[in-house]
Amino acid sequence: MLSFATVRERWQSFAGGFVVLSLGMALVSMSALALASAGPRVPDRLAGTPVFVSAPRLDRADGSFAPDRPWSPETVASLVEELSAIPGVAQAVPDRAFYAQPVIGGRPAPSERGHAWSTATLAPYRLTAGTAPRKGETVVDRSLGLTPGTEVSVLTARGPVTFTVSGTVDGPGVFLNDAEAAPLSTGVRAIGLVAEPGADVAAIAKAAGRFADVLTGDGRSVLESRDDERTRWIGMQILTGMAVLSALVSVLVVGSTFAVGVAQRRREFGLLRAVGATPRQIRAMVYGEALVVGVAATAAGVAAGALLAPVLGAVLVDVGFEPAGFAVALSPLPLAGSFAGGVVLTLVAVWSASRRAARVGPLEALREAEVDDRPMPRLRWITGLASCALGVASAVSSDGEGAFVMSGLVAAVGVIAGLALLSPVVVPPVAHYASWPFTRGRGAVGMLVRENARTAVRRTAATATPVLVTIGCAVLITGMVQTTAAGFAAVRATTIRADAVIVPDGTPGLTDVSGGESSLFSAVFEANGDPLSTIGATPELLKTAGDTSGPLDELRHDDRVLIAEWLAEDRGLRPGAVLPVSFEDGTSARLTVAGTVRNADADVLVSRDLLRSHDPAVLADEAYVVGTAPDPGPGARVVDVAAYAAEADAEEDRLVWIATLLLVVVSTAYAGVAIVNTMVMSAAGRVRDLEVLRLSGATPRQVRGTVAAESALVVLLGAGLGTVVALPALFGIRGAFAEAMNTDVPLVIPWPLIGGLVAVCLVLAAGASVLAATTKVGR
Amino acid sequence: MKVRLEAVRRTYGTVTALDGVTAGFAAGTLTAIMGPSGSGKSTLLHCAAGLDRPTEGTVVIDGTDLGSLNEHGLTVLRRERIGFVFQAFNLVSALTAEQNVALPLRLAGRPAAPELVRRALAQVGLADRAGHRPSGLSGGEQQRVAIARALITKPAVVFADEPTGQLDTQTSRQVLGMLRRLVDDHAQTMIMVTHDPVTASYADRVIFLEDGRVVDEFTGALTAETVAARMAGTC
Ligand SMILES: Nc1ncnc2c1ncn2[C@@H]1O[C@H](COP(=O)(O)OP(=O)(O)OP(=O)(O)O)[C@@H](O)[C@H]1O
Ligand SMILES: [Mg+2]
């Protein structure tokens, strides 16, 4: 009864917690829904086939997208024969895919997958016009707008090939005659079993199980492409991060909201204690209030989350955090989970406040004025100091190697968290010194601002802390992301000894005829099926770009392999030893170890020709040109080295930057709510002060000026402290990075962004405090 | 004796608020505690009522030594055996008059029969204001609601710290008359702190405090004039 009544009566003091919690739970439930929908999907182009057999799949570490070993061509042939003989199987279709991108009007079309024509039955896709492709012919997606009989140039790994369109089909991709597709294709890892009408699918699956691993129903989703899998994995990290961040910040902000609420209601708790409430009953009451707010806010948040989730899904696909075709489905379990989680979260958040409320003695009911001079709890002292100490220790102990980035982060985060905890003791003296400009002149406003900020410890700290944390983290994280990106660009620029670089333009990679020197990145498989990342390159290329060292001239021989030092050590491979491997096309070879290499970005190096002959579909990421650049043809363009260095990781940098911005925006939103909340809640406690100010002759303008200047001072203080803490860490990170990379790394901090964030905090703080003060002291 | 204090001392750091007070309060009497500001009146009341713990000495209420109780036991004792009326800030602002009166019973987990609550409110003349929140009640009305709440548990003793401090003469007289009747008709034991000789004249007995000690006390037929004269004599 009391909890309900209190929430209704004092809704202003719960509004902040309500808003934060709703916001947080909307984010959490959206993320949960998206995560629940983000599982692997059966690819559309295979959906019409009930049974697949697949090559053995290895368990891979989380975040690894190495391919599994394909079957050898002989195995594929014998499997097709055996599987076709199973009763009820109309056809056994090996899934062959390759790179094929039509060039329409001189530009590469957005469709880039090529398939053997027989695989069209797996979807099934049907001809919408024309006939199946014979040699030299192709069937294309009808949405490309090509009509049967026209000629089309198609980019393949070996270069452009001209085909005659024989027909169009109602699905994506370019389809070639099976005989023509086979030599272009990657290895076969799955064979679809097309059932005869009315055949017993379970019996087919059982029979097929004698030959290979069988996939049916949703199990077929493992056949999705590695790219989609990787995209989903990135999305999963982002969504999980967002949910955890929201939950964490909600707990902190809701906790502090309730703490302020309890601090303002000590007299009421004292009264209750005096008339017979036990400490346990007081705790229960505070929990009860939290429950009322928590249930309402979580319900609102989860409802909003459910409404907004489809929008989030579209955004995630747009920015590249989820593969095309991803859609958020509304399922009850994540919603129920988010709801329960939100309520539990609220109760966790209110734990400390409820303890404090229960400790209020009955005599507090009789105190005349609410005084703001309670010392800081011991636990807060201890954790605050420990956190600062950890940060400082981490900064001091760093050894200048790559690990510094980590210790720099720990240092900054430690000190930021520590300062946040110690803010009630740290902020007032800093406010004292920071406000000296206000002592100049004879205005009363200056004096009032200065003294108020100093004496109202709790309010000052409560406002400065979220600003400190937000700005500190924003400077640190955005600065680190941009500085490392600039660092990598600088490193690339110094390691490329070429005149120009050819890069893909509207295509996923370069064909063999784009010109320049290029390497191919693929994989070979050891005898047990473990993949080894492999670069196929010429010695000339390795000398032009990167800093790989070793007996590179051995790569002129097609039967040699250079291996990374770890591999040589791990497998006991000395020069002259034989490394049996199989390739992407399923064929095997015995390669002679010719030596070890350092600083190669792969486990093994082989000659480019060898790799190309066994991996007909892989594309080069870039090609280096010495001298004048040739015309690279459609789907590629020439850039100078500086431009290349700056944009090489553009896609990855973009994803990281979006994630960073997301983080910064979410945390600023929370800081904003916390600031407004503090201002509104403390306004009630300040009415008397402000009235006295008015009665002593201050004009309403002067009162508003005082209040606004005071909150601005506090916000600037928090922002300044945050920046001051983050900057040394950033300088350290840059130094370590420059040392490790042996090059000059500029310190890049997005000041306009930081300035914008500070401005938002300023406007919120000043606006909220002036509004609250004006409504309370209306006259 | 309903309430007995034995050599009670209470110090706040270096300040000695109560300096060895021994006093007894008989059942069915109304006692007024008087004295100059800062003499320790409120402190005495708080110690006697179990709101505060004395630094030294013992307090016994209705046969129970408060020193032997832990915080929970003390709370339960306050809830069951003691009623309070403060000078101000008496009511929980989120609750209606009726709910405020029922609060001690609910906190004790006892059924708060609506008739019982209504009767308590009627007793203080507020039957028609049961549904109002404190913000909609005058100071005197709030004070009377507080009295109704103090009485709802049928406590052994009622303590009041300047119960009429914020009321006008007319309302004060009403409230005091009511308290007096409770003592006379229901043999309620009551102890109140006051500055005002007129208020004190409603009591059966007056105790004077100065610098934390009992310096004077008298009983008998009290009038505002006799009390004022006595005050002038002691101060
Ligand atoms: N919590 C406290 N901390 C420190 N000193 C206190 C505290 N409470 C009371 N005192 C001191 O103890 C002495 C007695 O205070 P008390 O409130 O009992 O006086 P009082 O007689 O009720 O005064 P008044 O008539 O002004 O209400 C005073 O000197 C006061 O300053
Ligand atoms: Mg007093």
Side-chain angles (χ1 to χ4, degrees):
Chain A
M1 161 199 81
L2 194 48
S3 296
F4 260 112
T6 307
V7 173
R8 200 175 46 210
E9 170 82 6
R10 300 180 147 263
W11 64 268
Q12 299 104 321
S13 76
F14 295 102
F18 183 91
V19 170
V20 170
L21 206 60
S22 311
L23 193 71
M25 292 329 292
L27 282 175
V28 168
S29 58
M30 268 196 297
S31 309
L33 280 173
L35 279 173
S37 317
R41 288 192 327 130
V42 180
D44 288 340
R45 62 181 196 85
L46 305 178
T49 306
V51 182
F52 277 85
V53 295
S54 87
R57 284 181 315 279
L58 295 178
D59 286 335
R60 275 169 293 136
D62 184 42
S64 153
F65 304 98
D68 292 313
R69 180 167 57 177
W71 285 305
S72 72
E74 300 76 43
T75 313
V76 173
S78 69
L79 275 174
V80 166
E81 194 173 316
E82 286 161 341
L83 294 167
S84 307
I86 294 175
V89 172
Q91 203 185 348
V93 182
D95 183 21
R96 287 187 211 276
F98 48 93
Y99 169 62
Q101 191 167 17
V103 179
I104 295 173
R107 295 286 309 158
S111 143
E112 61 189 47
R113 300 308 304 164
H115 305 282
W117 171 244
S118 57
T119 65
T121 55
L122 299 176
Y125 297 134
R126 316 232 177 256
L127 281 173
T128 53
T131 57
R134 287 165 306 180
K135 191 163 165 32
E137 290 181 341
T138 179
V139 164
V140 297
D141 181 357
R142 67 172 160 182
S143 68
L144 291 177
L146 298 169
T147 47
T150 49
E151 301 216 315
V152 62
S153 173
V154 176
L155 295 175
T156 70
R158 293 184 193 272
V161 183
T162 303
F163 292 98
T164 306
V165 176
S166 70
T168 57
V169 76
D170 58 354
V174 167
F175 295 86
L176 297 185
N177 177 282
D178 281 17
E180 221 160 4
L184 291 175
S185 298
T186 55
V188 174
R189 295 180 170 88
I191 298 175
L193 303 185
V194 182
E196 280 167 356
D200 180 357
V201 171
I204 294 177
K206 188 153 179 270
R210 281 187 288 128
F211 306 108
D213 297 347
V214 173
L215 304 172
T216 56
D218 286 341
R220 296 171 298 159
S221 61
V222 298
L223 298 171
E224 73 173 338
S225 81
R226 285 293 136 89
D227 283 346
D228 285 357
E229 200 179 329
R230 181 165 168 278
T231 307
R232 280 197 304 105
W233 183 82
I234 295 176
M236 185 115 82
Q237 311 294 312
I238 298 282
L239 288 171
T240 313
M242 194 162 92
V244 171
L245 183 78
S246 312
L248 207 71
V249 182
S250 301
V251 168
L252 293 179
V253 177
V254 171
S256 78
T257 308
F258 270 96
V260 176
V262 165
Q264 289 182 339
R265 293 166 58 197
R266 295 182 74 80
R267 185 181 283 150
E268 178 187 327
F269 292 131
L271 175 62
L272 286 169
R273 290 280 286 113
V275 300
T278 60
R280 183 195 293 260
Q281 282 174 317
I282 299 281
R283 278 191 83 154
M285 176 184 147
V286 174
Y287 272 118
E289 290 166 14
L291 204 64
V292 173
V293 176
V295 166
T298 308
V302 169
L307 284 177
L308 291 176
V311 182
L312 175 75
V315 171
L316 287 172
V317 174
D318 270 355
V319 298
F321 287 154
E322 289 293 346
F326 169 82
V328 179
L330 288 185
S331 41
L333 199 65
L335 289 178
S338 303
F339 181 77
V343 174
V344 171
L345 225 71
T346 321
L347 297 182
V348 170
V350 83
W351 177 80
S352 152
S354 78
R355 273 171 53 105
R356 217 173 295 170
R359 250 183 277 137
V360 172
L363 275 180
E364 306 238 9
L366 310 173
R367 295 262 153 82
E368 250 301 317
E370 300 275 344
V371 272
D372 196 4
D373 60 354
R374 274 167 302 119
M376 227 168 61
R378 188 142 33 114
L379 190 66
R380 191 161 172 176
W381 265 109
I382 294 171
T383 43
L385 287 176
S387 183
C388 281
L390 174 77
V392 172
S394 161
V396 171
S397 69
S398 67
D399 52 7
E401 273 305 301
F404 184 89
V405 175
M406 198 57 220
S407 53
L409 263 182
V410 172
V413 171
V415 174
I416 289 175
L419 277 189
L421 286 167
L422 297 179
S423 57
V425 278
V426 174
V427 170
V430 178
H432 177 76
Y433 289 108
S435 59
W436 68 264
F438 287 110
T439 54
R440 330 278 297 184
R442 293 169 299 133
V445 171
M447 179 188 71
L448 283 167
V449 168
R450 187 179 154 109
E451 295 310 318
N452 273 337
R454 270 184 44 198
T455 45
V457 177
R458 210 158 283 270
R459 184 177 66 233
T460 307
T463 313
T465 308
V467 181
L468 185 158
V469 173
T470 308
I471 301 298
C473 289
V475 169
L476 184 72
I477 293 170
T478 58
M480 201 178 71
V481 167
Q482 299 222 326
T483 299
T484 44
F488 280 122
V491 170
R492 271 193 297 270
T494 58
T495 55
I496 297 172
R497 292 165 289 275
D499 298 314
V501 185
I502 301 173
V503 295
D505 185 15
T507 56
L510 300 175
T511 70
D512 286 349
V513 301
S514 300
E517 288 282 342
S518 62
S519 62
L520 300 174
F521 187 87
S522 180
V524 298
F525 304 91
E526 292 186 88
N528 62 359
D530 278 348
L532 294 172
S533 60
T534 305
I535 289 177
T538 57
E540 288 72 29
L541 174 95
L542 294 172
K543 287 167 190 165
T544 309
D547 46 6
T548 310
S549 62
L552 301 179
D553 283 325
E554 293 289 344
L555 294 180
R556 295 188 199 290
H557 305 278
D558 276 355
D559 54 353
R560 308 281 166 84
V561 62
L562 295 177
I563 60 178
E565 279 175 344
W566 74 263
L567 188 65
E569 218 161 278
D570 193 57
R571 310 288 146 90
L573 292 170
R574 298 176 171 285
V578 168
L579 181 67
V581 296
S582 60
F583 288 96
E584 173 60 34
D585 66 355
T587 57
S588 301
R590 295 169 63 79
L591 301 176
T592 307
V593 175
T596 59
V597 282
R598 281 173 195 230
N599 296 331
D601 294 327
D603 300 328
V604 302
L605 298 185
V606 297
S607 88
R608 189 185 195 283
D609 290 343
L610 175 68
L611 195 67
R612 172 53 85 207
S613 65
H614 289 291
D615 189 342
V618 68
L619 302 175
D621 288 332
E622 70 274 305
Y624 301 98
V625 180
V626 181
T628 352
D631 173 23
R637 67 197 162 95
V638 180
V639 295
D640 62 27
V641 171
Y644 165 71
E647 71 179 40
D649 277 347
E651 173 59 15
E652 197 179 314
D653 288 352
R654 189 182 67 89
L655 292 184
V656 171
W657 188 238
I658 290 176
T660 310
L661 281 185
L662 202 73
L663 198 84
V664 169
V665 166
V666 168
S667 58
T668 308
Y670 280 116
V673 175
I675 292 168
V676 171
N677 195 32
T678 311
M679 291 301 170
V680 172
M681 287 177 75
S682 58
R686 301 191 61 194
V687 177
R688 212 179 293 178
D689 276 5
L690 297 177
E691 268 171 357
V692 170
L693 207 60
R694 285 279 282 121
L695 293 174
S696 334
T699 63
R701 255 181 82 145
Q702 277 174 319
V703 172
R704 283 199 297 271
T706 310
V707 171
E710 196 184 306
S711 40
L713 171 71
V714 177
V715 166
L716 289 178
L717 202 84
L721 272 178
T723 311
V724 165
V725 172
L727 276 184
L730 273 185
F731 274 111
I733 289 172
R734 180 192 69 159
F737 201 66
E739 199 175 319
M741 298 289 178
N742 227 338
T743 166
D744 254 0
V745 176
L747 183 66
V748 191
I749 298 173
W751 287 118
L753 176 70
I754 304 295
L757 297 181
V758 176
V760 167
C761 294
L762 269 178
V763 168
L764 284 178
S769 59
V770 168
L771 253 177
T774 328
T775 50
K776 300 272 180 188
V777 192
R779 297 137 302 152
Chain B
M1 289 286 135
K2 272 282 180 200
V3 181
R4 213 154 39 77
L5 282 78
E6 203 79 58
V8 170
R9 265 172 64 83
R10 178 69 169 96
T11 55
Y12 296 104
T14 55
V15 181
T16 303
L18 284 183
D19 193 5
V21 173
T22 299
F25 302 90
T29 61
L30 171 56
T31 309
I33 299 174
M34 297 193 74
S37 181
S39 57
K41 305 182 294 291
S42 296
T43 309
L44 175 71
L45 195 78
H46 297 159
C47 287
L51 288 171
D52 198 1
R53 288 178 186 274
T55 317
E56 279 171 36
T58 51
V59 178
V60 179
I61 293 182
D62 218 10
T64 310
D65 179 359
L66 301 195
S68 67
L69 299 175
N70 62 10
E71 191 53 41
H72 185 261
L74 207 54
T75 306
V76 171
L77 176 109
R78 278 203 301 269
R79 190 156 77 193
E80 314 265 308
R81 318 291 307 141
I82 298 173
F84 294 99
V85 183
F86 303 124
Q87 183 172 2
F89 317 118
N90 255 316
L91 304 178
V92 178
S93 59
L95 302 182
T96 60
E98 198 174 15
Q99 288 169 329
N100 262 292
V101 171
L103 193 57
L105 290 179
R106 283 175 177 267
L107 285 170
R110 284 199 255 153
E115 311 82 52
L116 195 67
V117 175
R118 297 262 163 184
R119 210 177 312 136
L121 275 172
Q123 208 174 359
V124 296
L126 287 175
D128 53 336
R129 312 307 289 274
H132 289 242
R133 282 180 215 288
S135 54
L137 295 173
S138 75
E141 286 165 342
Q142 290 186 32
Q143 211 61 350
R144 284 186 279 161
V145 173
I147 292 168
R149 183 189 58 203
L151 298 172
I152 193 82
T153 54
K154 306 215 183 322
V157 204
V158 171
F159 293 92
D161 196 348
E162 311 203 18
T164 58
Q166 290 196 331
L167 306 181
D168 62 64
T169 327
Q170 181 70 34
T171 324
S172 289
R173 211 165 293 160
Q174 259 181 19
V175 170
L176 287 166
M178 208 171 65
L179 294 179
R180 185 68 241 175
R181 271 198 305 284
L182 281 167
V183 176
D184 292 341
D185 301 350
H186 302 280
Q188 179 69 54
T189 312
M190 207 173 286
I191 301 170
M192 70 175 174
V193 166
T194 179
H195 272 123
D196 176 24
V198 180
T199 306
S201 68
Y202 283 80
D204 301 305
R205 168 174 171 235
V206 181
I207 293 181
F208 284 97
L209 279 187
E210 211 174 306
D211 292 334
R213 293 164 187 277
V214 179
V215 291
D216 193 5
E217 77 167 83
F218 64 95
T219 47
L222 299 174
T223 64
E225 289 72 30
T226 56
V227 174
R230 256 331 237 275
M231 269 172 79
T234 57
C235 298

